[in-house]
Amino acid sequence: MKVLSSYYLSKFTGKAIQWGYPVSISFEPTPPVNLRCPECPSGLRAFTRPTGMLENNFFRDTIDQMSEISFT
């Protein structure tokens, strides 16, 4: 409820407001691929963020950090 209400309030006011925690998280292990698909940012090499392989313990560290958060 906090996430949804902060979304609508942000949309209404035009200011970034964040209450609550993410509903879900997702991981992208490695964005670069050998294909050059014209509709894909990876194929176009159009990423604005750093690319490369993730650290070995990234998944474990992230899950451990998430488990420490109280979701009440």
Side-chain angles (χ1 to χ4, degrees):
M1 190 66 177
K2 289 180 179 181
V3 174
L4 187 60
S5 60
S6 65
Y7 166 75
Y8 284 115
L9 188 58
S10 295
K11 190 174 179 179
F12 178 73
T13 63
K15 295 180 182 179
I17 299 169
Q18 179 184 354
W19 296 327
Y21 293 102
V23 176
S24 67
I25 60 171
S26 62
F27 297 98
E28 186 175 288
T30 177
V33 296
N34 293 331
L35 303 174
R36 297 279 186 171
C37 303
E39 69 278 352
C40 175
S42 182
L44 293 172
R45 305 296 190 251
F47 286 113
T48 57
R49 65 183 190 275
T51 60
M53 301 298 282
L54 295 177
E55 299 290 327
N56 288 338
N57 290 330
F58 179 79
F59 295 107
R60 177 168 305 201
D61 293 343
T62 302
I63 299 301
D64 288 345
Q65 289 173 17
M66 295 288 294
S67 69
E68 294 171 2
I69 297 173
S70 173
F71 291 102
T72 58

